[in-house]
Amino acid sequence: MPLLETAPDALAKVYARALFDAAEKRGAAESVVGELEDLLEMTRADRAFSELLASPLVDPAKRDAFLVRVLQGRVSETTLAFLRLLNRKDRLGHLVPITAAMDALVQERFGRVEVDVFTAAPASQPELESIRKRLADALGKDVVIHPYTDASMIGGIRIRMGDQLIDASVRAELNRLRDRLLGQTGTVRSRAGDILDRN
């Protein structure tokens, strides 16, 4: 069983807050979340590694020895101690949502917000800068944009900030137009039925 790719829940936020507070005391919150994200990239590239971290069948003592052997000297003491704690508590399988919650705390601390921008074709640098500036003005924060191309889109743009989605794609607009038209059709039919019933 690989790591769970889920959104942060209450438990993930509790662990992330504890890690953030510990890392912030050392002035290392950004570097710790960076190390966790690098580790997650490794697990996404190597399913066996992901399963080793998440599987309840792996003996926690052996997994702890593995973490020390592989990560000591490669990540900070704070990150390694946290991973070992998750292992002892049988929570390593929740590393993805914990890391996402930790990243949100770091971005909030430094007044930044990360935004995923989806377009049908690759957006140019001036277009991305225009989007970034408008979002920064609206949010009052420094915006970091991650551009993605979604070939399934007809056109327009989708913006995701954390668990919020702003869908201004052509498909979404067409769906909204269809819903309005179907709603109006239903109203017209209802009125026509009322008139016929009266006559």
Side-chain angles (χ1 to χ4, degrees):
M1 182 177 91
L3 293 172
L4 297 172
E5 293 277 351
T6 58
D9 56 11
L11 182 69
K13 291 175 182 177
V14 168
Y15 276 100
R17 173 54 70 180
L19 176 59
F20 177 81
D21 291 344
E24 185 74 346
K25 286 177 186 170
R26 295 170 177 77
E30 281 191 289
S31 63
V32 165
V33 80
E35 289 173 345
L36 291 177
E37 287 172 343
D38 289 345
L39 183 66
L40 288 180
E41 284 306 309
M42 290 169 55
T43 66
R44 290 179 182 120
D46 186 343
R47 185 178 175 87
F49 181 41
S50 177
E51 289 181 353
L52 180 123
L53 293 182
S55 176
L57 303 177
V58 177
D59 177 55
K62 290 182 179 177
R63 185 163 38 217
D64 184 70
F66 171 82
L67 289 171
V68 172
R69 188 174 67 250
V70 170
L71 298 177
Q72 196 161 41
R74 293 187 174 95
V75 298
S76 66
E77 289 180 20
T78 303
T79 300
L80 181 56
F82 182 70
L83 292 170
R84 296 180 74 191
L85 169 72
L86 291 179
N87 181 49
R88 285 195 304 276
K89 300 284 189 181
D90 196 27
R91 300 292 186 200
L92 263 177
H94 293 80
L95 189 58
V96 173
I98 291 169
T99 301
M102 172 69 172
D103 182 60
L105 290 170
V106 169
Q107 300 306 328
E108 183 182 325
R109 165 69 177 82
F110 292 99
R112 291 194 301 257
V113 61
E114 297 202 12
V115 176
D116 295 332
V117 173
F118 299 86
T119 52
S124 68
Q125 207 52 48
E127 288 170 331
L128 291 173
E129 180 55 27
S130 173
I131 293 165
R132 190 202 66 76
K133 187 173 182 328
R134 283 187 283 172
L135 287 171
D137 290 345
L139 299 170
K141 292 184 178 182
D142 184 22
V143 174
V144 179
I145 285 187
H146 301 286
Y148 298 96
T149 303
D150 183 349
S152 71
M153 293 174 63
I154 300 168
I157 187 170
R158 275 198 333 264
I159 297 171
R160 186 172 59 211
M161 294 178 285
D163 58 0
Q164 293 182 324
L165 178 67
I166 301 166
D167 194 343
S169 65
V170 171
R171 176 170 285 135
E173 289 297 324
L174 289 172
N175 287 340
R176 284 190 282 271
L177 178 60
R178 182 199 65 211
D179 292 344
R180 279 198 303 271
L181 289 173
L182 288 175
Q184 288 174 358
T185 302
T187 302
V188 169
R189 284 180 183 155
S190 173
R191 286 180 183 161
D194 289 345
I195 292 168
L196 291 172
D197 288 342
R198 285 199 299 265
N199 293 326

